[in-house]
């Protein structure tokens, strides 16, 4: 969905699509597109529930790959904004104590380790290589983390990891 569209912008469209009426269980996945490399659009897209954010100048192969990533249930942010966005988010919102930190106790040591690596922007294959695990095992750990913490996707997992203080910028 394009951030800027006539009549209704893409952010409002995403909000409406991702807030289905009561009783509807299917939730679509939204990949936001824009020509504007503006962090505010990224924040609003994530708040609306988008699973991805990509700049329109991305090569066609990257756009196709992004659609596949989001359709499979994972999240994706344009590489040009990922580090800047995470650092800015962490600066604006100091780690909170209490509920997010307490929720971490539901995770096993390995799941906590996987969440930390996800929050640092690593892919499943990179995590598998680092931890000497099969990629399918990493996918299982990520799925369990999302379920135990009641998170929708990797983007929410990254936000949670920073809010809980599990990771901090510059580590």
């Amino acid at each position: 969905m394009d951030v800027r569209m006539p009549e209704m912008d893409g952010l409002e469209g995403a909000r409406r699509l991702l807030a289905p009426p009561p009783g509807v269980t299917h939730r679509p996945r939204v990949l936001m597109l824009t020509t504007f490399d503006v962090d505010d659009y990224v924040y609003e897209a994530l708040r609306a529930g988008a699973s991805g954010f990509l700049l329109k100048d991305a090569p066609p192969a990257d756009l196709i790959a992004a659609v596949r990533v989001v359709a499979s249930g994972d999240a994706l942010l344009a590489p040009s904004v990922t580090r800047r966005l995470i650092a800015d988010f962490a600066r604006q919102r100091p780690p909170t104590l209490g509920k997010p930190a307490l929720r971490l106790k539901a995770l096993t040591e390995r799941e906590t380790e996987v969440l930390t690596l996800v929050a640092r922007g690593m892919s499943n294959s990179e995590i598998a290589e680092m931890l000497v695990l099969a990629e399918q095992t990493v996918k299982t750990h990520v799925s369990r983390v999302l379920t135990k913490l009641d998170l929708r996707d990797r983007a929410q997992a990254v936000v949670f990891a920073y809010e809980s203080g599990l990771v901090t910028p510059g580590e």
Side-chain angles (χ1 to χ4, degrees), residues 3-4 34-44 53 55 81 84-85:
V3 168
R4 290 195 176 175
T34 186
T35 55
F36 306 99
D37 190 5
V38 178
D39 291 345
D40 287 342
Y41 288 148
V42 180
Y43 288 128
E44 285 307 310
F53 188 93
L55 300 176
V81 299
R84 188 178 73 240
L85 180 69

Side-chain angles (χ1 to χ4, degrees), residues 6-21:
E7 297 186 36
M8 179 190 306
D9 69 45
L11 297 169
E12 180 59 27
R15 283 185 202 97
R16 291 183 185 186
L17 277 172
L18 296 168

Side-chain angles (χ1 to χ4, degrees), residues 7-79:
E7 297 186 36
M8 179 190 306
D9 69 45
L11 297 169
E12 180 59 27
R15 283 185 202 97
R16 291 183 185 186
L17 277 172
L18 296 168
V24 175
T25 57
H26 173 73
R27 291 191 50 172
R29 303 273 180 193
V30 174
L31 173 63
M32 299 299 299
L33 300 173
T34 186
T35 55
F36 306 99
D37 190 5
V38 178
D39 291 345
D40 287 342
Y41 288 148
V42 180
Y43 288 128
E44 285 307 310
L46 293 174
R47 283 187 194 106
S51 295
F53 188 93
L54 197 61
L55 300 176
K56 287 183 181 178
D57 65 357
D62 288 358
L63 179 58
I64 292 167
V67 169
R68 288 184 175 138
V69 164
V70 169
S72 74
D74 284 331
L76 177 126
L77 295 174

Side-chain angles (χ1 to χ4, degrees), residues 123-144:
S123 68
N124 287 347
S125 60
E126 292 169 329
I127 294 169
E129 185 177 322
M130 177 174 263
L131 299 179
V132 192
L133 297 172
E135 191 170 343
Q136 185 59 45
T137 302
V138 173
K139 288 180 183 181
T140 299
H141 285 308
V142 171
S143 177
R144 287 182 181 156

